[in-house]
């Protein structure tokens, strides 16, 4: 070590000089790192990975690719939902506590459970890594089953809820339309009753006028008497018909008013009559939508479906990947050791250079300590002090250039 020479002056590239001196340490570190990685992959604890696939189905009965883009856009949302605490709680229940929520969350954070959406595809991958291959595959199958069942069940509930809400809207529109029809029917019957009564009064007036006219006539032929009698019979028959019509209309009007009395409090005849057309159009639109939704329910597919069972477990340790990591780690550690040795040898070289300038018997550390203790300015020989300072500065400059 005492023969160390700083080649900084002869080689202007410090990195190349460093590598040329310590290449053997770097080689040893890389080889040891690679050997440790291979030994770990061969004799270390085994980890197995199993992958399960979930397909998001396009909701179409004609062309399977018609709404594929829509299914792909929903895949990310389903993947985020699959890695939620709710799903882990359902997995906990499905496995009877074998996998608790905390354990599943910890595996998720550690990368032992990876749930993500495939890029440019309507698939979700569920990858589980565990030391037990049977356990890894079982958990992957359980998670995919729970995700599919839960989301499909909630989708069915939402569909039923939409049907129920649509049915309620149709019933409300029907009731409003019926109310409007009742008020409008009441108004029509009232007008008809008034018209028939006016007609009845007119017939009765004609009948009375005819009787008065006949009373004023003293003599008339038998033919005139016959015509007069026929006319009175016709008028009498018309009066009877109109009276029957008025009675029938009054009965219908009473029935309508009785039905109106059963309507909810606050029903407005004016508004109901004004909105009758709107309620009719709304009822038609809602009925069409309800029929369309009922027909779609027949061909609707579940949003998610398991794409087969989980894959056969494979070893998670990749020899190539571990080898590269071992080489990188070994090279890094070897470079650190070489750099530490480099600093130690440079420090010793600076100390030996300083001692050679002051003499082989001079202890540089003790001399510096004494100078700091008494102070250079207290020396009685200024010339010697200046010479000592020059020698110390030259040694420091030589040591800095070597570094």
């Amino acid at each position: 070590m005492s023969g160390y020479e700083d080649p900084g002056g002869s080689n202007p590239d410090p990195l190349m000089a460093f590598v040329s001196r310590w290449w053997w340490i770097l080689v040893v570190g890389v080889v040891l790192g690679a050997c440790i990685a291979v030994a770990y992959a061969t004799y270390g604890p085994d980890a197995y990975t199993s992958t399960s696939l979930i397909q998001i189905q396009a909701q179409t009965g004609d062309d399977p690719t018609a709404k594929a883009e829509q299914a792909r856009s929903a895949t990310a949302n389903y993947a985020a939902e699959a890695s939620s605490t709710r799903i882990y709680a359902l997995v906990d229940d499905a496995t009877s506590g074998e996998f608790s929520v905390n354990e599943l969350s910890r595996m998720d954070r550690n990368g032992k459970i990876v749930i993500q959406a495939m890029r440019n595809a309507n698939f979700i991958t569920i990858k589980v890594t565990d030391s037990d291959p049977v356990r890894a595959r079982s958990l992957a199958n359980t998670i995919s089953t729970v995700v599919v069942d839960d989301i499909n069940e909630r989708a069915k509930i939402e569909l039923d809820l939409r049907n129920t809400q649509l049915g309620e809207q149709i019933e409300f529109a029907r009731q409003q339309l019926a109310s409007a029809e009742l008020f409008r029917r009441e108004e029509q019957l009232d007008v008809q009753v008034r018209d028939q009564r006016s007609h009845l009064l007119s017939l009765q007036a004609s009948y009375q006028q005819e009787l008065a006219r006949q009373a004023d006539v003293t003599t008339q032929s038998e033919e005139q008497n016959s015509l007069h009698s026929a006319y009175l019979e016709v008028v009498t028959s018309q009066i009877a018909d109109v009276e029957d019509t008025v009675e029938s209309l009054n009965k219908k009007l009473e029935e309508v008013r009785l039905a109106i009395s059963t309507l909810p409090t606050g029903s407005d005849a004016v508004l109901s009559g004004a909105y009758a057309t709107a309620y009719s159009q709304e009822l038609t639109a809602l009925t069409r939508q309800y029929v369309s939704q009922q027909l779609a329910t027949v061909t609707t597919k579940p949003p998610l479906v398991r794409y087969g069972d989980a894959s056969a477990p494979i070893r998670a340790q990749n020899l190539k990947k571990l080898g590269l990591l071992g080489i990188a780690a070994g090279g890094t550690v070897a470079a650190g050791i070489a750099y530490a040795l480099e600093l130690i040898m440079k420090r010793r070289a600076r100390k030996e250079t300083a001692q050679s300038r002051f003499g082989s018997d001079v202890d540089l550390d003790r001399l510096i300590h004494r100078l700091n203790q008494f102070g250079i300015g207290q020396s009685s020989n200024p010339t010697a002090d200046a010479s000592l300072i020059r020698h110390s500065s030259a040694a420091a400059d030589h040591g800095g250039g070597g570094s």
Side-chain angles (χ1 to χ4, degrees):
M1 293 296 181
S2 60
Y4 171 81
E5 294 182 0
D6 186 1
S10 59
N11 190 354
D13 190 352
L15 180 60
M16 293 303 298
F18 176 81
V19 173
S20 63
R21 284 191 300 273
W22 305 107
W23 62 269
W24 57 277
I25 294 182
L26 299 177
V27 172
V28 171
V30 169
V31 172
L32 286 177
C35 292
I36 292 174
V38 173
Y40 180 82
T42 305
Y43 304 104
D46 293 332
Y48 297 88
T49 299
S50 181
T51 303
S52 180
L53 293 178
I54 297 177
Q55 183 183 19
I56 289 79
Q57 299 193 102
Q59 298 300 321
T60 177
D62 300 329
D63 184 3
T65 62
K67 297 183 180 180
E69 187 63 31
Q70 181 180 355
R72 282 194 292 268
S73 63
T75 303
N77 295 332
Y78 286 130
E81 189 173 352
S83 58
S84 64
T85 306
R86 168 187 169 81
I87 296 298
Y88 290 158
L90 294 176
V91 173
D92 185 4
D93 295 338
T95 58
S96 301
E98 181 181 357
F99 295 94
S100 64
V101 177
N102 293 332
E103 182 181 1
L104 293 171
S105 300
R106 184 171 58 254
M107 293 176 67
D108 190 358
R109 291 192 300 270
N110 296 336
K112 293 185 177 180
I113 296 179
V114 179
I115 302 175
Q116 59 186 3
M118 280 189 178
R119 181 175 298 179
N120 299 326
N122 55 330
F123 279 90
I124 296 174
T125 60
I126 300 176
K127 185 181 296 184
V128 177
T129 302
D130 195 82
S131 58
D132 185 355
V134 177
R135 178 183 166 99
R137 187 174 189 181
S138 174
L139 181 56
N141 279 325
T142 303
I143 293 176
S144 61
T145 301
V146 167
V147 170
V148 170
D149 292 344
D150 179 65
I151 294 180
N152 288 346
E153 181 64 23
R154 286 191 291 112
K156 183 178 181 300
I157 293 175
E158 291 177 0
L159 180 60
D160 294 339
L161 181 60
R162 286 198 300 270
N163 289 332
T164 303
Q165 292 175 346
L166 190 57
E168 292 175 353
Q169 292 176 352
I170 291 175
E171 183 62 25
F172 175 78
R174 183 182 292 112
Q175 292 178 357
Q176 296 299 321
L177 181 59
S179 300
E181 290 293 341
L182 284 175
F183 285 117
R184 187 164 61 180
R185 181 59 176 165
E186 180 189 23
E187 183 179 356
Q188 292 173 352
L189 289 173
D190 193 24
V191 171
Q192 291 176 4
V193 169
R194 289 198 301 266
D195 291 342
Q196 291 297 322
R197 284 177 177 175
S198 298
H199 184 46
L200 177 61
L201 291 174
S202 176
L203 290 175
Q204 290 175 346
S206 299
Y207 184 80
Q208 294 298 329
Q209 289 176 0
E210 183 63 24
L211 289 177
R213 189 179 65 81
Q214 290 297 325
D216 293 339
V217 176
T218 56
T219 61
Q220 59 181 359
S221 63
E222 183 178 352
E223 183 179 357
Q224 289 177 340
N225 289 332
S226 176
L227 291 174
H228 172 70
S229 299
Y231 176 76
L232 291 178
E233 290 179 0
V234 170
V235 173
T236 302
S237 176
Q238 291 179 350
I239 291 173
D241 291 340
V242 172
E243 288 178 347
D244 292 340
T245 302
V246 170
E247 184 179 1
S248 176
L249 290 175
N250 283 328
K251 288 182 179 180
K252 292 179 180 179
L253 185 59
E254 290 178 1
E255 292 176 357
V256 169
R257 287 174 177 173
L258 180 61
I260 290 175
S261 64
T262 61
L263 294 177
T265 305
S267 298
D268 193 334
V270 177
L271 291 178
S272 296
Y275 294 155
T277 304
Y279 286 137
S280 178
Q281 294 175 354
E282 181 68 15
L283 181 60
T284 302
L286 289 173
T287 304
R288 186 182 298 111
Q289 183 179 354
Y290 183 80
V291 172
S292 176
Q293 187 162 313
Q294 290 298 318
L295 293 176
T297 304
V298 178
T299 58
T300 297
K301 303 175 183 178
L304 272 61
V305 63
R306 286 185 60 194
Y307 203 75
D309 291 335
S311 63
I314 59 175
R315 294 192 61 178
Q317 289 92 345
N318 190 318
L319 182 59
K320 181 179 179 180
K321 182 178 179 179
L322 288 176
L324 293 176
L325 290 176
I327 290 173
T332 302
V333 173
I337 295 174
Y339 184 71
L341 293 175
E342 179 82 4
L343 293 179
I344 293 173
M345 295 190 68
K346 284 184 177 181
R347 182 177 179 182
R348 288 185 177 181
R350 287 196 298 269
K351 185 182 292 187
E352 290 176 358
T353 302
Q355 287 179 353
S356 64
R357 290 182 178 273
F358 287 98
S360 59
D361 296 333
V362 178
D363 190 342
L364 182 59
D365 292 338
R366 183 178 297 177
L367 176 61
I368 294 175
H369 177 70
R370 292 295 184 183
L371 291 176
N372 290 334
Q373 182 178 3
F374 294 103
I376 298 178
Q378 296 178 357
S379 176
S380 59
N381 190 352
T383 304
D385 292 342
S387 177
L388 180 60
I389 292 173
R390 286 195 300 271
H391 283 295
S392 299
S393 299
D397 293 341
H398 182 73
S403 61

